[in-house]
Amino acid sequence: MARKTANDDPLAPVTIAVGQEELLLDRAVQQVVAAARAADADTDVRDLTPDQLQPGTLAELTSPSLFAERKVVVVRQAQDLSADTIKDVKAYLGSPAEEITLVLLHAGGAKGKGLLDAARKAGAREVACPKMTKPADRLSFVRGEFRTAGRSATPEACQALVDAIGSDLRELASACAQLAADVEGTIDDAVVARYYTGRAEASSFTVADRAVEGRAAEALEALRWAVSTGVAPVMITSALAQGVRAIGKLASAPRGARPGDLARELGMPPWKIDRVRQQMRGWSADGVAVALRAVAEADAGVKGGGDDPEYALEKAVVTIARAARSRR
């Protein structure tokens, strides 16, 4: 979930939402807008991209109104603002207008860092919206969703939901909301299985697991089911890439190292080290290289470089499965 600074008043003069997790960024904006409209139902909301915020625009939007109306000004991708516009924003930070809340969405990298530093120095309320790349982060997110909904869910149910849905935070949030609304009592793994049977078996990571294990027929079956149930092709290529890279990382790691040490060195949880060790038995260095090229071609194919994304995925899955047997 998004983390907030001690200044947790959504009606603070300036809020900066920092990170690249789109759902959390959107929620940060929604929270400010909801608080503003609770204070004044007629609050005017202006949601702007960098190209819409030209030099002088912010001054116009924040100039005193004859009717003293409350206003929320949202600036997305603030790191991409022009130098002149950044000057305007920095000047505004020193003397924010009453009844106006400025919300800056910033990716958090080096680009535009001066603006971010200026906002922090000015005492802006900050909401951290980091990209959730680790399974443990997504698991914590699911637990938080159920907790926010006032519902009890077992640890097994939370893990099953993450396994079933994958890495898309919007889908995870939607699934949590559906279960919270539809199910009475404690939500357990049996409930998750009943709602998402097939989805869990056809997740992008299942496709990847079967492919790197050299089980081409099962990987293709899982792939076709995943596509038919709406799993985004880019999620599948991402899972394939992660699967092959994990093989390559572990293959090049020092032999005899303990799982805990390898986990820290390679950035994998210990349980995954054990799984990848089993999967890598038929792999060679050449096989990893071939598989990575196949993933790159599939990724280009599903992102507009080809006419048939599904064919691109099938071709990659078959190539990876063959590469998994390159030492047999």
Side-chain angles (χ1 to χ4, degrees), residues 49-328:
T49 54
D51 61 300
Q52 295 173 310
L53 194 66
Q54 300 298 320
T57 304
L58 184 61
E60 294 177 9
L61 292 173
T62 58
S63 60
S65 168
L66 192 62
F67 303 101
E69 64 179 353
R70 182 176 290 278
K71 186 179 295 184
V72 174
V73 178
V74 180
V75 180
R76 297 185 182 271
Q77 296 104 42
Q79 71 278 358
D80 295 330
L81 291 171
S82 69
D84 288 338
T85 303
I86 287 177
K87 289 180 183 178
D88 287 353
V89 177
K90 286 182 176 179
Y92 178 81
L93 293 173
S95 182
E98 292 185 13
E99 301 298 312
I100 292 178
T101 299
L102 175 65
V103 184
L104 301 174
L105 274 56
H106 193 291
K111 187 177 183 181
K113 187 174 183 297
L115 176 59
L116 198 56
D117 291 342
R120 286 168 172 158
K121 187 175 181 180
R125 168 180 177 260
E126 182 169 349
V127 182
C129 306
K131 197 75 175 174
M132 294 193 180
T133 58
K134 298 179 181 178
D137 292 337
R138 294 190 286 272
L139 186 59
S140 178
F141 173 78
V142 167
R143 290 171 179 158
E145 290 294 286
F146 285 128
R147 190 163 51 247
T148 300
R151 300 303 310 277
S152 175
T154 66
E156 294 80 9
C158 294
Q159 184 63 63
L161 197 58
V162 172
D163 291 342
I165 302 299
S167 60
D168 190 305
L169 235 59
R170 292 187 190 278
E171 290 195 25
L172 282 171
S174 177
C176 290
Q178 181 182 22
L179 290 171
D182 292 356
V183 178
E184 296 182 359
T186 299
I187 298 166
D188 58 21
D189 54 342
V191 170
V192 174
R194 187 167 70 246
Y195 270 72
Y196 296 98
T197 294
R199 182 63 182 270
E201 296 170 359
S203 72
S204 55
F205 291 103
T206 300
V207 177
D209 283 341
R210 298 296 86 79
V212 299
E213 290 162 4
R215 297 153 65 178
E218 293 176 45
L220 286 172
E221 182 180 0
L223 170 64
R224 289 161 186 160
W225 182 257
V227 171
S228 71
T229 55
V231 178
V234 291
M235 290 181 61
I236 299 173
T237 56
S238 175
L240 290 171
Q242 290 181 50
V244 175
R245 286 175 187 146
I247 298 285
K249 283 182 179 180
L250 194 55
S252 61
R255 294 186 178 278
R258 294 178 299 179
D261 295 334
L262 283 173
R264 284 189 293 273
E265 183 178 342
L266 302 180
M268 300 181 195
W271 63 264
K272 188 169 184 178
I273 296 289
D274 293 335
R275 176 185 290 181
V276 176
R277 271 181 170 159
Q278 295 175 353
Q279 293 173 334
M280 64 181 287
R281 290 171 183 166
W283 284 87
S284 67
D286 288 343
V288 172
V290 168
L292 287 174
R293 283 197 297 271
V295 171
E297 290 173 3
D299 190 56
V302 302
K303 291 179 178 177
D307 297 327
D308 190 341
E310 189 170 347
Y311 172 73
L313 289 170
E314 290 183 356
K315 182 180 177 182
V317 163
V318 170
T319 302
I320 292 168
R322 287 176 179 167
R325 300 192 298 272
S326 56
R327 287 178 56 186
R328 297 177 187 175

